[in-house]
Amino acid sequence: MPNMVIAVYRPREGRQSELLELVREHVPALQKLGLATKRPALVMRAKDGSLVEIFEWVSAEAVEKAHHHPEVQMLWQGFEEVAEWSSLGSLEEAKTPFSHFDLVELK
């Protein structure tokens, strides 16, 4: 059964453009490996510069496979170099109803 996820990446100082490039590659790479559905990812920017990525895994098993796939691990290592993993609750926008973010075009 598909599984939606919301990921939050807080860019390290001066690494915003590198993070955006990785986010552009992220879901297409997962899709190529059959781990994410064909549903396009939605990416938004928070006021603090964090990127919020919403996408759909094909299943809970796909998440587990991703954690052991060398190509995914290499991609995620790139994320760790340019950003900190964060949570939706850490964003100021998440503290109010009807949270507003800036849409990020991935093309």
Side-chain angles (χ1 to χ4, degrees), residues 11-85:
R12 296 186 191 282
E13 186 70 35
R15 308 296 294 268
Q16 295 86 348
S17 62
E18 292 170 273
L19 174 58
L20 184 55
E21 285 306 312
L22 285 170
V23 169
R24 283 187 174 115
E25 298 172 21
H26 186 225
V27 172
L30 296 176
Q31 290 168 334
K32 182 184 87 174
L33 297 169
L35 301 172
T37 67
K38 295 298 180 190
R39 185 185 307 272
L42 178 64
V43 178
M44 303 173 291
R45 185 174 282 110
K47 290 177 190 170
D48 72 355
S50 294
L51 294 182
V52 179
E53 179 186 47
I54 303 171
F55 68 97
E56 186 176 42
W57 292 101
V58 296
S59 65
E61 292 79 21
V63 177
E64 185 63 28
K65 285 181 186 177
H67 282 89
H68 301 286
H69 195 287
E71 190 174 330
V72 177
Q73 289 302 300
M74 192 163 43
L75 182 60
W76 288 353
Q77 177 62 39
F79 273 91
E80 290 181 11
E81 292 172 12
V82 301
E84 296 175 23
W85 309 108

